[in-house]
Amino acid sequence: METQTTLEHRMLTDTLGAFGEGITTILSAERGILLLEGWLNALRGDVGAERILAELGELRDHLKSEQYDSDKIRHLLLSLASHTTALSHEPSVDQATAGQLKQLVNALRNFSSQL
């Protein structure tokens, strides 16, 4: 369980780093695919993560197809942001992690608005 938590925290840090601090984010499809693969590995086996895993997998597969549908990508990012918001309010999530999750929600929403 400790390895799982560590991997999830590492993915959270890596993802926030990829999105950066600014409003404008430049994230290649290849980098996005790598991040999505990391999240799929980090969340695999988590109880209650099935829906998020399905959406992460769908987004990864869509990016791999190289026939990008901006509306579909935007919808998946906003859905992931919604799930992440709910997760940040879970009682089991510590305050520091909740803060990072809220940063991730903002990054996902900002990125989706750039598509």
Side-chain angles (χ1 to χ4, degrees):
M1 188 70 161
E2 186 61 35
T3 304
Q4 193 81 0
T5 302
T6 302
L7 182 54
E8 289 172 3
H9 279 95
R10 192 173 80 223
M11 284 307 308
L12 185 53
T13 301
D14 289 352
T15 303
L16 289 172
F19 281 110
E21 296 294 318
I23 300 293
T24 303
T25 301
I26 299 170
L27 190 63
S28 69
E30 294 78 17
R31 178 86 190 268
I33 290 167
L34 288 174
L35 285 169
L36 291 165
E37 295 281 355
W39 277 111
L40 287 166
N41 287 329
L43 296 175
R44 191 165 283 122
D46 273 13
V47 175
E50 296 84 9
R51 186 172 191 156
I52 292 174
L53 284 166
E55 289 178 347
L56 290 170
E58 186 179 350
L59 183 55
R60 178 208 51 204
D61 294 345
H62 185 71
L63 292 175
K64 280 185 171 182
S65 76
E66 295 184 16
Q67 295 180 359
Y68 310 127
D69 176 345
S70 296
D71 288 336
K72 182 175 186 160
I73 294 169
R74 185 178 306 109
H75 170 76
L76 287 166
L77 290 173
L78 290 174
S79 181
L80 288 167
S82 177
H83 293 307
T84 304
T85 297
L87 181 62
S88 72
H89 296 295
E90 289 288 321
S92 61
V93 174
D94 64 72
Q95 225 173 4
T97 302
Q100 286 183 306
L101 289 171
K102 288 174 185 169
Q103 280 183 277
L104 179 57
V105 168
N106 289 334
L108 289 169
R109 288 184 177 149
N110 286 338
F111 189 62
S112 73
S113 71
Q114 295 173 39
L115 300 175

